Amino acid sequence: MKLSLRGEYALRALLVLGLNYKQAVVPIRTISRQQNIPKRFLEQILNDLKSAGVVQSKRGVAGGYQLALPPEDISLATVIRHIEGALAPVSCVSGRFYEKCSCPNEARCAIRSVMKEVRDAVVNIVEKRTVADLCARGRRLEEMHAGPLDFVI
């Protein structure tokens, strides 16, 4: 599975919204600036996430976006599947987007067997991870890389 730029931007936008979950809506320009995402592209992505029921919006001068569900209820797999489609590296091993492949015998295909393991590993990780997990990891990484304070007396 390779995450497209659209998928990456979707997760980055959800990270911002997750970090601001208990607050009012977040203006799109704030998300765009913080994550260095082109505003027009971000609008399309957020509208797509809105149609999936992941985010909601408020119109007007004080408008913006917020999560439609608690961050712990939004799995990364749900978001990635909505934006990208299958989590599988090849369509013949996809659980939700299966398509027959061109190999002569799927049951004896060594490539399919390995790709099924890859799919299972990816699904196992992203099904268990949520936007809340992403936020917690972001906070930890921010703290780790903040560095020691330098005081001069």
Side-chain angles (χ1 to χ4, degrees):
M1 179 195 85
K2 180 174 181 353
L3 207 56
S4 69
L5 198 54
R6 184 178 181 83
E8 180 186 339
Y9 285 173
L11 292 176
R12 287 170 41 192
L14 291 174
L15 174 62
V16 172
L17 295 175
L19 290 169
N20 293 285
Y21 176 63
K22 294 289 184 184
Q23 299 170 19
V25 296
V26 180
I28 195 165
R29 68 184 171 280
T30 301
I31 301 168
S32 174
R33 255 193 328 262
Q34 283 182 10
Q35 293 297 320
N36 196 27
I37 303 171
K39 189 174 173 257
R40 288 268 187 235
F41 194 25
L42 182 58
E43 286 171 348
Q44 294 170 7
I45 293 166
L46 289 170
N47 279 331
D48 198 7
L49 291 172
K50 186 177 173 184
S51 72
V54 175
V55 301
Q56 55 193 18
S57 64
K58 179 181 174 191
R59 298 173 71 116
V61 177
Y65 288 85
Q66 63 190 114
L67 295 179
L69 303 165
E72 57 275 3
D73 292 346
I74 304 170
S75 79
L76 300 185
T78 299
V79 174
I80 294 168
R81 280 189 184 113
H82 182 77
I83 298 291
E84 304 285 352
L87 296 174
V90 291
S91 58
C92 65
V93 298
S94 178
R96 297 178 189 213
F97 301 93
Y98 172 84
E99 289 179 22
K100 182 155 178 46
C101 62
S102 62
C103 68
N105 187 336
E106 281 186 359
R108 289 194 233 151
C109 179
I111 296 167
R112 182 176 190 269
S113 176
V114 170
M115 292 300 113
K116 198 170 190 179
E117 287 179 40
V118 170
R119 184 227 36 217
D120 291 346
V122 169
V123 168
N124 190 36
I125 293 168
V126 296
E127 284 285 353
K128 292 178 184 175
R129 300 293 188 276
T130 65
V131 171
D133 296 324
L134 205 57
C135 293
R137 188 171 295 205
R139 286 185 192 103
R140 277 194 313 272
L141 289 169
E142 194 69 35
E143 290 170 6
M144 273 178 30
H145 295 289
L149 297 175
D150 190 25
F151 291 100
V152 177
I153 300 178

